[in-house]
Amino acid sequence: MLRWIIFILIFGILDVYAYQSVKTVIKNRWVFGLYVLISISVYGFFLYVFLNYDRSVGQTKQTLLAMGLFLLVFVPKVVLFFIMFAEDIVRLFVGGYNYVSNNFFSGKSKTYLPSRRRFISQLALGLAAIPFASLLYGIFVGKYNYKVLKYKLSYADLPDAFDGFKITQISDIHSGSFDNKEKIEYAIDLINKQETDLILFTGDIVNTKADEMTPWIDTFKRIKTPKFGKYSVLGNHDYGEYATWSSEQAKEDNFKAIKDIHQKIDFKLLLNESRFIEKNGERLALIGVENWGKSFKKAGDLDVAIKDISSDDFKILMSHDPSHWEYEVKPHKENFHLTLSGHTHGLQFGIEIPGFFKWSPVQYVYKQWAGLYKSDNQYINVNRGFGYHAYPGRVGIWPEITVIELKKESVNV
């Protein structure tokens, strides 16, 4: 009950301020009525969808639509609230000054609290239009605005045979959210154009259920297998833990089917295990762990995964959740040269100016949330994700295909 009271209170306050800003600027009652009707309809649809949410089904196109429409209405109102509330603070101070000056000095009676200024309301609506347009763009364009990001990483102990070795990383497919086959095929073509030596997928192939991937098997099977193969690991969504199952057996059957998907699209799934990639008599170790997250499922076992690996081996680790790097990989006695993760999606919302500025609310939860990070001689790349989840779009944080080239660092003696 308390949760609903807080919910109604928050939305009530936001709507009061949004109402005031719109009323100050828009005098046409039909336009104003349309605004009210849209707000009520979106909130009503959102409540209907989530009050009737079926955990045995999981996320659907309807829940994606409800979240998208909700954010389109909610986020601009948050912007309106802050601007109009700031104006109210100024009005309060001015009103207090007027009260004191009129009652204690001039003795005149007048209206103490100044009325809202039309300019401020216009400014608020103009600024609120920015996130509205951005969210709208994110839904129709941004979620398929694929970017190929390329990095060169140098290591003194990289085996000579792997100088110039290229790795393509994708992550967080979330196939149950897709709604445009042409755009996905375009992204697959982008992957194939990179012509790298090794392709790695770092988890979350579905939202919840294996059959989400069924319509996309042939599409993802089009990813060409490079000379040194295609490998993958599981993500937190692949365990089916965000749904209610009729039985434990049904859940286990779904999990098995998800693992089988990787073979169907010609990826070799690594479950707390390793493989050696060999070239010209030298090797590097590829390690894949199950999901390990500080706040999510901890199925990954790093020590089991490296039981056949020596300390001298050059190590590339696939681990879905970047918090694993922070809490277990970095402090581990073994040195993991490169860790590849995903999971965060960069929250699918933020601002990035390459080389200058990068921000998203998710950075307050994850220290490593998008892109490349380094600690001593260890790197982690957090892929921003191939697909999308919950919000059916992306704003400022675009879907990513990562290409990493390993380079032999010259050592002066």
Side-chain angles (χ1 to χ4, degrees):
M1 183 63 182
L2 179 61
R3 180 177 62 181
W4 284 107
I5 292 173
I6 294 173
F7 178 85
I8 293 170
L9 184 62
I10 290 173
F11 283 89
I13 292 171
L14 288 176
D15 270 298
V16 165
Y17 276 95
Y19 168 86
Q20 291 177 356
S21 64
V22 173
K23 186 179 180 181
T24 302
V25 174
I26 299 175
K27 302 303 182 183
N28 186 302
R29 65 176 183 173
W30 294 106
V31 175
F32 183 73
L34 181 62
Y35 158 80
V36 173
L37 179 62
I38 291 172
S39 291
I40 293 173
S41 299
V42 169
Y43 286 152
F45 179 60
F46 179 81
L47 286 172
Y48 169 78
V49 169
F50 284 93
L51 285 175
N52 292 279
Y53 180 75
D54 187 350
R55 278 184 57 86
S56 67
V57 176
Q59 179 176 280
T60 64
K61 295 294 190 297
Q62 189 180 58
T63 59
L64 282 168
L65 175 62
M67 180 59 74
L69 291 174
F70 171 77
L71 290 174
L72 274 174
V73 171
F74 177 75
V75 175
K77 287 183 178 181
V78 173
V79 175
L80 289 173
F81 166 77
F82 280 111
I83 297 172
M84 302 304 287
F85 183 70
E87 184 191 23
D88 273 353
I89 294 174
V90 174
R91 292 172 68 214
L92 188 63
F93 275 107
V94 172
Y97 173 80
N98 289 340
Y99 178 84
V100 171
S101 63
N102 282 289
N103 284 278
F104 295 96
F105 298 101
S106 66
K108 297 178 180 178
S109 177
K110 61 177 290 186
T111 302
Y112 302 120
L113 194 66
S115 60
R116 290 198 177 278
R117 288 180 291 174
R118 183 180 176 86
F119 167 74
I120 297 298
S121 294
Q122 289 174 327
L123 175 65
L125 288 171
L127 292 175
I130 296 174
F132 178 82
S134 298
L135 288 163
L136 203 61
Y137 175 87
I139 291 171
F140 287 100
V141 180
K143 64 186 179 185
Y144 295 129
N145 186 24
Y146 291 97
K147 302 296 181 184
V148 178
L149 302 184
K150 298 184 178 183
Y151 303 101
K152 288 185 180 181
L153 303 182
S154 297
Y155 298 91
D157 56 347
L158 179 71
D160 292 338
F162 290 92
D163 184 26
F165 191 82
K166 290 183 180 180
I167 300 167
T168 293
Q169 181 199 3
I170 57 173
S171 191
D172 298 87
I173 289 174
H174 288 284
S175 55
S177 300
F178 293 152
D179 58 12
N180 190 320
K181 186 175 181 180
E182 183 179 339
K183 295 295 185 181
I184 302 304
E185 289 178 341
Y186 163 75
I188 300 300
D189 289 339
L190 272 182
I191 293 170
N192 288 333
K193 285 179 182 178
Q194 305 315 309
E195 297 184 345
T196 48
D197 299 294
L198 181 68
I199 295 178
L200 304 177
F201 167 61
T202 47
D204 277 0
I205 202 163
V206 296
N207 294 330
T208 302
K209 296 189 173 182
D211 59 12
E212 296 169 21
M213 189 66 181
T214 302
W216 303 100
I217 293 292
D218 290 339
T219 302
F220 280 87
K221 197 176 177 66
R222 288 181 54 238
I223 298 177
K224 296 176 182 177
T225 302
K227 181 178 179 180
F228 296 93
K230 301 187 296 190
Y231 293 87
S232 56
V233 292
L234 298 173
N236 56 302
H237 280 267
D238 297 324
Y239 294 85
E241 297 196 336
Y242 306 117
T244 300
W245 299 93
S246 59
S247 66
E248 277 300 314
Q249 186 60 51
K251 181 180 179 182
E252 187 59 35
D253 289 345
N254 181 72
F255 184 46
K256 182 181 183 303
I258 286 174
K259 290 186 286 186
D260 289 344
I261 289 170
H262 295 256
Q263 183 179 357
K264 290 178 181 179
I265 60 173
D266 302 323
F267 276 76
K268 297 175 182 177
L269 180 63
L270 300 182
L271 301 167
N272 295 326
E273 54 190 312
S274 62
R275 296 287 187 274
F276 287 112
I277 307 298
E278 298 186 358
K279 183 180 181 183
N280 298 338
E282 295 183 298
R283 71 183 191 182
L284 55 78
L286 178 64
I287 303 150
V289 295
E290 293 193 53
N291 190 80
W292 191 103
K294 183 177 182 293
S295 303
F296 293 90
K297 188 176 184 68
K298 293 177 173 61
D301 193 325
L302 199 54
D303 290 326
V304 169
I306 63 170
K307 60 183 176 62
D308 298 321
I309 305 297
S310 73
S311 296
D312 294 333
D313 285 316
F314 188 93
K315 303 175 189 66
I316 297 174
L317 171 66
M318 291 190 290
S319 180
H320 177 71
D321 191 319
S323 66
H324 191 208
W325 190 70
E326 183 67 26
Y327 291 96
E328 284 210 334
V329 177
K330 281 201 302 182
H332 199 277
K333 64 180 181 180
E334 294 290 346
N335 179 58
F336 296 87
H337 298 77
L338 173 62
T339 298
L340 300 175
S341 298
H343 181 64
T344 72
H345 301 204
L347 203 66
Q348 298 168 209
F349 180 88
I351 302 171
E352 286 197 82
I353 304 173
F356 294 95
F357 182 75
K358 182 171 68 174
W359 175 87
S360 168
V362 77
Q363 71 187 56
Y364 306 114
V365 180
Y366 290 90
K367 288 185 178 181
Q368 299 81 31
W369 59 275
L372 197 66
Y373 302 83
K374 184 180 182 183
S375 177
D376 296 325
N377 62 339
Q378 297 185 96
Y379 286 94
I380 181 173
N381 182 67
V382 184
N383 185 286
R384 293 161 180 81
F386 185 93
Y388 52 92
H389 179 67
Y391 163 59
R394 284 178 175 266
V395 178
I397 307 293
W398 312 123
E400 175 182 344
I401 297 163
T402 313
V403 178
I404 296 175
E405 183 177 359
L406 305 179
K407 299 295 292 180
K408 179 75 173 185
E409 185 178 281
S410 299
V411 180
N412 296 322
V413 292

